[in-house]
Amino acid sequence: MQPAAVILTLVVVGTAATTWHTLRIGSFPGRTDYLMLMASGCWWAICAILDVSSDAPALKLFYSELAWYGIITTPISWMLFMSAYVRGADLPSASLYTGLSVAAGLAMLAIATTNDLHHLVYVAVTPDPTPAYPHQLHYEHGSVFFAAMIAIYFFMALTAIRTLWAAIHAPPVHRAQFAGLLLSAMVPWAANAAYNFAGVRILGFDPTPLAYVVVPVIYSFLVSRNQFLSLAPVALGAVFSAHPDGILVVSGNGLVAEANAAMRAIFDGKPLVGKPFSSLGTSFGPADGASLFDGNNQVRRWRRDGRIYEVRTVAVDAARQSESVAYVLRDITDYLRAQESLQISTRLMEERLEANLRLQEQLHDMAHRDSLTGLNNRRILETISDRLIDNADAVGRSLVAVSLDLDHFKRLNDTFGHKAGDDALVAMAGVLTRSLRPGEVAVRMGGEEFLVLMPHADIEEARARAEAWRAVIRSQPVATSLGAAEITFSAGISAYPETAASFEQMLQQADKAVYAAKRAGRNRVVVARQPGEAADGRMRSA
């Protein structure tokens, strides 16, 4: 086996051993991406082993193309792992980022393995033998190769800068940990840069996967000293200092052990650490209500200098039965004010909505109701016609239409004046309105014409009721300055489905029956001819 293959085998074995050791630690920030990092490094190293162990140029090229999955996913996984590790918690949408990392690796793998079709990764691959390594190849790189390298170096640089910043701001006890993590990433990528930009080879091969031998060594060192994967307290310390809520830790002996900047600002910037808690002049006391932000937790409210705080009490080191507690104070003053403003705005909005609904009802009423008589106008028929027909079909009962037309209405207006005509219309509407049953509809169709729709009625019942209306309206003459004016009407009756096959035909037949009543002398009720009756041009009169 060639020396390069031996070193790469050590990389794979060492990475696998370190990963197994790490898994025994349990959960830690960025755990999934850490495992992806180890797996990607092993993929790259295994492809490199196959490459250096092969003599055939076609096989060497194929294995170098396969390695692209690891080449892409290794730096991305390192970036994601370090981002989560430095912040002390998994990234938001961590699964999405991991999935995108895998997708990027697979996409590059697809591009690399189809290089013969487009030559975007390798423009040309030619033999480059040396006495020591007679089977090595020379790769002339394409545009996708350079684009991938630029992206990888850019993100690696950003991650390195962020890790370095975290190391500078971390306590000294943790800086070695950051230095080890940086070194484990920078050594392979320095080797990669030397290969890409200066053509440096080690043992006749790309030194990048060979340099990965430092990764398991450094990680094993960090894990063995129980420092690796214990960064969360460092990140939490930074979070504690920068947290917008006030945090005050009181030890079991009653002294203030910790106070972040937000808590010191609540107490006018005074130093608090080391002072007796009792000297602060406050006692937060027991919880007395539900949290605004988490109704499952009981908190209390505390006021100071016109501000209102939600105080949460948290036990510190409960597992060790410590009497230390942490008080977390959240300023809810602006929240309560905004809540009050929102309630006022909601009430105003509700009032406006109610006003708009009333206006819509009024507009609907104006559009569908006759202003003189208060009855529906003919527009209502567009809304109810289909429903009435469907209902009649569903229950198997008739829908009866009674059309009424006041007799000699023009003569009434000309003789007694338009007010007398209006009074006659109102009187007729009153008679109809008072006699309506549930579900029935009275309509002023226009002028002196009215329509009454009677669901679940029959023709004989409708005729009897129309005769009753005729008697009532005739007994109530309209008073005018010239004396009483008698009111009579002519009516026509039609029914669906007895005399008509549709709503429109029913109205037409009712109108024809009215005209028949007029021709017969007025002041009478006529029923439209039913199918099967002799078509002699006449209609039945009551």
Side-chain angles (χ1 to χ4, degrees):
M1 182 180 289
Q2 294 191 18
V6 174
I7 296 174
L8 291 169
T9 302
L10 292 176
V11 170
V12 173
V13 173
T15 301
T18 303
T19 303
W20 178 81
H21 194 179
T22 304
L23 288 175
R24 299 173 60 189
I25 296 175
S27 180
F28 54 88
R31 185 174 187 267
T32 300
D33 293 307
Y34 171 81
L35 297 178
M36 284 289 298
L37 171 64
M38 297 292 103
S40 299
C42 282
W43 175 284
W44 194 351
I46 291 171
C47 291
I49 292 173
L50 297 172
D51 186 350
V52 299
S53 302
S54 176
D55 295 337
L59 281 178
K60 294 177 74 66
L61 175 60
F62 175 68
Y63 294 135
S64 68
E65 291 171 344
L66 283 183
W68 271 103
Y69 176 81
I71 295 172
I72 293 297
T73 56
T74 298
I76 296 177
S77 298
W78 186 75
M79 176 182 67
L80 294 175
F81 165 60
M82 290 306 301
S83 297
Y85 198 53
V86 167
R87 77 195 297 264
D90 286 334
L91 298 173
S93 305
S95 299
L96 173 62
Y97 294 136
T98 302
L100 291 175
S101 171
V102 173
L106 293 175
M108 191 62 195
L109 178 62
I111 295 173
T113 54
T114 58
N115 185 71
D116 288 344
L117 302 177
H118 47 70
H119 300 288
L120 294 175
V121 181
Y122 303 124
V123 174
V125 180
T126 56
D128 187 19
T130 65
Y133 305 102
H135 304 294
Q136 73 178 12
L137 302 176
H138 172 74
Y139 297 90
E140 185 178 344
H141 300 133
S143 57
V144 170
F145 174 91
F146 290 112
M149 288 300 103
I150 291 172
I152 288 172
Y153 290 153
F154 175 75
F155 288 115
M156 288 291 293
L158 286 182
T159 307
I161 292 171
R162 183 176 182 183
T163 306
L164 182 61
W165 182 91
I168 293 172
H169 291 83
V173 68
H174 296 283
R175 288 178 184 167
Q177 188 175 152
F178 284 108
L181 293 172
L182 272 175
L183 181 64
S184 66
M186 292 300 101
V187 169
W189 290 104
N192 182 261
Y195 173 72
N196 287 327
F197 297 110
V200 174
R201 294 174 184 257
I202 297 178
L203 301 177
F205 195 70
D206 175 1
T208 309
L210 297 174
Y212 264 101
V213 73
V214 303
V215 174
V217 174
I218 294 175
Y219 280 25
S220 296
F221 173 76
L222 294 177
V223 170
S224 64
R225 296 192 57 177
N226 296 319
Q227 289 183 328
F228 190 41
L229 309 177
S230 62
L231 182 60
V234 182
L236 291 178
V239 171
F240 176 85
S241 300
H243 203 283
D245 292 342
I247 304 176
L248 186 76
V249 180
V250 180
S251 63
N253 59 8
L255 297 178
V256 176
E258 293 285 351
N260 68 350
M263 180 62 77
R264 293 194 298 272
I266 293 173
F267 287 91
D268 306 319
K270 298 176 183 178
L272 301 177
V273 176
K275 290 187 176 182
F277 177 64
S278 57
S279 69
L280 301 182
T282 183
S283 175
F284 296 128
D288 58 6
S291 168
L292 285 175
F293 305 95
D294 186 354
N296 296 325
N297 289 339
Q298 293 293 304
V299 299
R300 81 178 299 265
R301 293 184 183 179
W302 177 69
R303 298 174 182 268
R304 178 181 173 86
D305 297 335
R307 308 295 294 182
I308 304 174
Y309 299 90
E310 184 179 277
V311 183
R312 189 189 309 269
T313 304
V314 181
V316 178
D317 276 349
R320 301 180 186 179
Q321 298 182 343
S322 170
E323 297 180 359
S324 300
V325 295
Y327 297 104
V328 181
L329 277 65
R330 175 170 294 183
D331 190 338
I332 60 172
T333 310
D334 295 334
Y335 178 88
L336 293 176
R337 290 172 180 169
Q339 192 177 52
E340 183 179 1
S341 298
L342 179 61
Q343 291 173 349
I344 294 174
S345 299
T346 302
R347 285 198 299 270
L348 291 174
M349 187 178 298
E350 289 174 349
E351 291 173 359
R352 291 174 182 171
L353 179 59
E354 290 176 1
N356 286 337
L357 290 175
R358 288 194 298 270
L359 178 59
Q360 289 179 11
E361 291 174 356
Q362 293 172 1
L363 292 174
H364 181 273
D365 201 53
M366 292 171 62
H368 293 84
R369 194 166 295 278
D370 177 56
S371 59
L372 175 63
T373 63
L375 298 180
N376 294 300
N377 62 30
R378 65 185 306 134
R379 290 193 184 92
I380 196 70
L381 300 181
E382 300 173 1
T383 305
I384 65 174
S385 58
D386 291 340
R387 174 169 55 84
L388 291 175
I389 291 294
D390 291 342
N391 183 259
D393 290 337
V395 301
R397 297 290 302 274
S398 300
L399 171 63
V400 180
V402 180
S403 181
L404 306 91
D405 193 280
L406 298 186
D407 295 330
H408 302 298
F409 186 72
K410 183 176 185 304
R411 187 169 66 188
L412 176 68
N413 277 328
D414 293 343
T415 303
F416 297 99
H418 288 286
K419 183 180 185 306
D422 290 345
D423 290 344
L425 294 171
V426 172
M428 186 71 249
V431 171
L432 298 178
T433 300
R434 288 189 294 271
S435 69
L436 287 179
R437 297 172 182 174
E440 295 181 343
V441 181
V443 181
R444 183 186 175 193
M445 298 294 284
E448 66 273 26
E449 184 180 354
F450 296 85
L451 174 69
V452 179
L453 297 172
M454 301 178 180
H456 308 165
D458 55 46
I459 291 177
E460 292 305 319
E461 177 187 356
R463 177 161 54 185
R465 292 177 64 189
E467 290 290 358
W469 298 337
R470 191 166 63 86
V472 171
I473 197 65
R474 189 172 186 180
S475 67
Q476 298 177 358
V478 174
T480 72
S481 59
L482 300 178
E486 185 181 71
I487 308 172
T488 63
F489 66 77
S490 300
I493 299 176
S494 179
Y496 170 87
E498 283 83 348
T499 67
S502 66
F503 189 85
E504 293 76 11
Q505 188 179 20
M506 180 180 65
L507 297 187
Q508 292 171 2
Q509 288 188 351
D511 287 340
K512 290 179 180 179
V514 170
Y515 298 146
K518 295 282 189 181
R519 289 193 298 269
R522 293 184 171 83
N523 191 25
R524 65 192 64 229
V525 178
V526 172
V527 178
R529 179 174 56 83
Q530 297 185 16
E533 291 185 355
D536 57 0
R538 296 174 295 173
M539 296 196 178
R540 294 177 295 154
S541 175

